[in-house]
Amino acid sequence: MVNSFSCPNGWKVWGGPAWWGPDLIEALGCQRGEQRNVPSTPTPPRFPTGRIGVAAVTAGPGVTNTVTAIKNAQMAESPLLLIGGAAATLQKGRGALQDIDQLSLFKTLCKTCVSVRAVRDIVPALRKAIVTAQSGTPGPVFVELPIDVLYPFHVVEKEIGGTKSGRGLRGKMVRWYLQNYIRNLFAGAWEPQDMCPLPVQVPLATEDEVGFGGPPSWIGGFGMSMDGGHRGGGV
């Protein structure tokens, strides 16, 4: 994730949540603490061309507390990437701590909302979200990162890998399922990926749309001549 923000035209990271480690905080060059994240002032910051604001918050209340700021960014047409934590994918919809439907909350506020399901998809999801925030009419985007795609392999394997020796057929089937889930979660995670930003699509007006082809044809229909005088015979 750090490499996604390491290009020459880097993006400003306002702050990081408490669950970020000190190495990630230092690598991104941001300050620790969510109180430094997305400002909720009536006038959101404006970013230079080619730049985008980035804020990272924890799951549940950390995400919901940004609703006002995200709405302000939408109205101000400011490109903003909101990265929010989430419960582990296996625990979603099972009453996990701070587990809410965060994507539905931001669908009407953000240009795109996506939840990453595998480690290999983190960089592509961030690259696509960044270019979406800047292309067309700029605005906020939301990327949800479940906790199991952020922790190291040995930690995730220890927490959800199941017991080493399952008892009975049911225990063996559960262990087989969890092991396959972990393998798919980290499959391709260490393969090299393109970190360069995607090209931003900015629609430009044609010459006809801005009137370079001459005065509009409807001017003479209102009793006005091309030099500004009134036509004869008018009312």
Side-chain angles (χ1 to χ4, degrees):
M1 187 171 73
V2 174
N3 292 335
S4 300
F5 303 103
S6 61
C7 63
N9 293 326
W11 301 272
K12 179 179 179 182
V13 182
W14 277 313
W19 49 267
W20 275 12
D23 294 337
L24 182 57
I25 294 290
E26 182 179 358
L28 288 175
C30 60
Q31 294 179 318
R32 194 184 188 99
E34 294 183 17
Q35 66 275 13
R36 300 181 178 91
N37 279 359
V38 189
S40 58
T41 56
T43 306
R46 292 287 184 175
F47 304 105
T49 303
R51 299 288 182 108
I52 181 174
V54 181
V57 295
T58 190
V63 171
T64 57
N65 285 342
T66 66
V67 170
T68 301
I70 294 299
K71 182 60 180 179
N72 285 336
Q74 181 195 43
M75 294 188 298
E77 298 181 359
S78 295
L80 172 64
L81 169 62
L82 175 63
I83 302 175
T89 306
L90 281 176
Q91 296 178 330
K92 283 193 173 184
R94 300 175 182 270
L97 177 65
Q98 298 179 347
D99 178 28
I100 62 173
D101 188 359
Q102 300 174 153
L103 298 182
S104 297
L105 181 64
F106 285 99
K107 280 183 177 179
T108 59
L109 302 178
C110 297
K111 297 181 65 176
T112 184
C113 298
V114 61
S115 180
V116 177
R117 298 302 180 96
V119 178
R120 62 183 176 274
D121 297 330
I122 293 178
V123 172
L126 291 176
R127 294 178 69 210
K128 186 175 180 180
I130 288 170
V131 74
T132 301
Q134 296 176 292
S135 297
T137 301
V141 294
F142 176 55
V143 176
E144 181 184 77
L145 297 178
I147 194 171
D148 50 351
V149 304
L150 297 175
Y151 275 71
F153 175 82
H154 68 277
V155 174
V156 177
E157 185 181 35
K158 179 181 178 181
E159 293 295 329
I160 66 176
T163 59
K164 293 184 178 181
S165 58
R167 295 183 178 180
L169 179 60
R170 181 177 180 180
K172 292 180 180 179
M173 291 181 63
V174 171
R175 175 169 173 76
W176 174 85
Y177 174 81
L178 294 177
Q179 289 295 327
N180 278 274
Y181 169 79
I182 296 175
R183 293 192 193 100
N184 179 68
L185 186 67
F186 287 91
W190 294 274
E191 295 180 1
Q193 297 193 34
D194 187 2
M195 303 291 180
C196 297
L198 296 172
V200 177
Q201 303 295 329
V202 179
L204 300 176
T206 63
E207 293 185 357
D208 292 337
E209 290 174 335
V210 296
F212 285 170
S217 59
W218 49 262
I219 290 182
F222 291 91
M224 297 290 294
S225 63
M226 302 307 294
D227 59 359
H230 289 275
R231 288 178 178 271
V235 177

